[in-house]
Amino acid sequence: MTIKTLSVLLSTLVLALQVSAFPQYGTLAGLDARQVERVVPTLNARVPPPPPGPPAFTGAKLVDDRDHPWRPLRQGDIRGPCPGLNTLASHGYLPRNGVATPTQIINAVQEGFNMVNNGAKIATYAAHILEGNVVTDLLSIGGKTSLTGPDAPPPASIGGISHHGTFEGDASITRGDAFFGDNHSFNQTLFDQFVDFSNRFGNGFYNYTVGGELRFHRIQQSIATNPEFSIRGFRHTTAYGEAAFIANIFVDGRKTGAEAHQLDMDSARSFFKDMRYPRGFFRSNKPTAGEGADIIFAAHPTEPGHNVGGVNSFVVDTSMGGVLDQCLFYTQLVNVTIKGLYPSPTGILRRNLNINLGFLYEAIGFPPSCPQVFPFGTN
Ligand code: HEM
Ligand SMILES: *[C@@H]1O[C@H](CO)[C@@H](O)[C@H](O)[C@H]1NC(C)=O
Ligand SMILES: *[C@@H]1O[C@H](CO)[C@@H](O)[C@H](O)[C@H]1NC(C)=O
Ligand SMILES: *[C@@H]1O[C@H](CO)[C@@H](O)[C@H](O)[C@H]1NC(C)=O
Ligand SMILES: *[C@@H]1O[C@H](CO)[C@@H](O)[C@H](O)[C@H]1NC(C)=O
């Protein structure tokens, strides 16, 4: 065997190892055509099935039940920035390893938290297209898993716009900004601040009033400390929605009247830190999602924007839309962000992207004045 053949053989082997190490849930978002061409043949391709509808029964019920015991993490289990999905995985409503199909996620958030059907579909398909593997129809709840090793795209180039192009974003309530090197983990200092605000503005409970103050404060903290802070488009929308989930979805469904939408601190700690239902938890008594986000926004309306020259250089940038312009936010998410993450998809990748984009648009249910956009053509 000549040196040349040997070196060709070796580099082929290295390549094969890299590709075989690429998990089935690893995302194709951000890969160039050459990388996609190598990875796709190693994947178990699947036609995405239509999304599930709402469940037959949508009232309150015990969800911390016998069939869904909480279990501690095992080696290799994946958890991420979403306390809702983390909890569902730790109780077995989702596969306990943290890897699921969009269908499994929609069914789990409906069953385990009574999340409203269209809200469940919007969040799930957006996350799947931005951070999941649309060829295998799998995504992990740990956020973006990209190709690693020498072939990996440089992080700043992912999406061609910046790492803020994914679902995960800045100014989270209990998680640090990506700029500080955090990777989705629970932050005790930030949780202490959550408790402090709940004491000061909610008499020991988190409610929309607390949400309004804390959401604003987290944005101010990020403006003052994170030179790369950004809250635009999709993230502007989710930042307000998630602050509302805490008062809607994490509150026991048997609480009504003055007790509704008031979350006690033991329950909050259970979800955020332990990824566990409070003992004997009942899910919401009606399908729900971001109700109250408007109250939280109205307390201190902050327009979308970003720091442009170091800390404390925040400028408003409404070009990607946000809570005040949902149609623009949809259009830019698909036409700019998602288009940028998939430069020139072909074959199964393009077909599955288009199917998932169709599910996303249908779930949002826009009036005809906000038409669907087709960054990868129609087929
Ligand atoms: C339907 C599928 C869902 C997906 C794909 C999803 C995904 C995510 C992601 C990616 C984040 C991180 C955003 C960030 O803060 O940077 C997040 C945050 C969050 N999610 Fe979910 N989520 C889903 C459903 C839920 C449900 C059902 C709940 C409530 C039970 C929930 C509650 C939250 C909360 C409270 C945060 C904010 C955490 C914080 O700011 O510290 N999510 N979610
Ligand atoms: C994630 O955070 C842990 C500590 O919280 C750190 O050791 C690790 O290097 C981080 N990983 C990445 C990829 O940032
Ligand atoms: C938690 O957040 C605080 C405040 O942003 C920060 O100073 C600290 O370094 C973070 N802790 C960890 C472990 O990331
Ligand atoms: C939140 O709790 C505080 C303290 O009990 C109360 O004054 C405020 O009205 C509550 N806000 C909402 C929206 O329930
Ligand atoms: C979407 O982007 C294409 C160019 O890629 C552009 O021609 C089209 O006008 C955009 N659509 C919208 C609604 O912005």
Side-chain angles (χ1 to χ4, degrees):
M1 194 184 298
T2 66
I3 298 283
K4 184 145 184 274
T5 2
L6 188 68
S7 85
V8 167
L9 214 80
L10 276 178
S11 59
T12 312
L13 188 71
V14 167
L15 227 149
L17 282 174
Q18 273 168 9
V19 168
S20 68
F22 189 76
Q24 296 285 317
Y25 58 82
T27 192
L28 302 170
L31 303 191
D32 65 28
R34 192 179 54 94
Q35 293 164 329
V36 168
E37 204 173 294
R38 273 217 324 279
V39 172
V40 169
T42 71
L43 302 174
N44 308 319
R46 188 163 178 255
V47 181
F57 173 67
T58 57
K61 70 168 179 177
L62 178 73
V63 285
D64 180 31
D65 64 11
R66 251 166 207 273
D67 292 341
H68 301 92
W70 181 85
R71 294 215 190 108
L73 296 181
R74 302 159 307 188
Q75 182 81 30
D77 284 350
I78 299 172
R79 296 294 182 269
C82 177
L85 299 180
N86 289 346
T87 299
L88 292 169
S90 287
H91 280 273
Y93 281 95
L94 282 171
R96 291 180 187 268
N97 68 0
V99 176
T101 65
T103 298
Q104 286 175 317
I105 292 182
I106 294 163
N107 283 330
V109 299
Q110 291 185 155
E111 183 65 19
F113 280 120
N114 215 353
M115 194 177 196
V116 68
N117 182 252
N118 69 339
K121 289 192 289 198
I122 294 167
T124 301
Y125 289 111
H128 186 46
I129 298 165
L130 290 168
E131 310 189 328
N133 189 311
V134 297
V135 169
T136 59
D137 204 40
L138 288 173
L139 72 156
S140 93
I141 64 171
K144 199 153 185 157
T145 303
S146 301
L147 196 59
T148 52
D151 273 333
S157 81
I158 290 175
I161 49 160
S162 87
H163 64 281
H164 295 298
T166 61
F167 198 133
E168 203 276 322
D170 292 336
S172 300
I173 303 290
T174 67
R175 268 73 176 160
D177 291 0
F179 174 78
F180 301 113
D182 175 84
N183 45 25
H184 311 160
S185 40
F186 172 82
N187 179 313
Q188 184 65 50
T189 311
L190 293 177
F191 187 75
D192 291 345
Q193 177 171 265
F194 172 94
V195 173
D196 178 49
F197 271 65
S198 299
N199 285 333
R200 279 158 57 200
F201 298 100
N203 201 19
F205 292 82
Y206 178 97
N207 64 20
Y208 301 147
T209 308
V210 177
E213 298 307 318
L214 185 54
R215 170 52 40 251
F216 181 63
H217 185 69
R218 287 292 296 131
I219 292 171
Q220 298 307 308
Q221 280 182 319
S222 284
I223 289 175
T225 57
N226 175 357
E228 295 178 1
F229 175 62
S230 173
I231 184 165
R232 289 179 289 172
F234 190 48
R235 178 57 187 155
H236 190 254
T237 310
T238 59
Y240 286 99
E242 288 158 10
F245 289 178
I246 301 170
N248 296 332
I249 305 184
F250 285 161
V251 175
D252 192 288
R254 290 166 296 183
K255 293 190 192 289
T256 52
E259 283 193 313
H261 309 303
Q262 319 288 322
L263 179 68
D264 69 88
M265 294 300 103
D266 286 341
S267 297
R269 192 174 297 103
S270 186
F271 285 117
F272 280 109
K273 185 175 182 197
D274 303 332
M275 315 182 208
R276 183 174 192 164
Y277 286 126
R279 281 290 150 81
F281 184 77
F282 275 53
R283 69 178 193 192
S284 165
N285 51 40
K286 60 176 190 333
T288 186
E291 294 88 16
D294 52 340
I295 302 174
I296 293 172
F297 180 74
H300 297 279
T302 306
E303 288 200 78
H306 56 150
N307 274 342
V308 291
V311 300
N312 294 314
S313 63
F314 187 80
V315 298
V316 168
D317 173 9
T318 55
S319 67
M320 299 289 287
V323 287
L324 295 180
D325 193 341
Q326 300 277 342
C327 179
L328 184 61
F329 130 67
Y330 157 77
T331 306
Q332 299 294 84
L333 174 71
V334 174
N335 217 12
V336 177
T337 308
I338 292 172
K339 169 85 178 149
L341 288 167
Y342 299 94
S344 50
T346 57
I348 297 167
L349 174 58
R350 175 168 169 273
R351 181 199 66 190
N352 283 8
L353 272 171
N354 279 342
I355 293 173
N356 281 291
L357 284 169
F359 295 157
L360 176 68
Y361 181 76
E362 277 166 40
I364 303 180
F366 278 129
S369 57
C370 185
Q372 186 173 358
V373 283
F374 299 93
F376 311 117
T378 52
N379 59 351

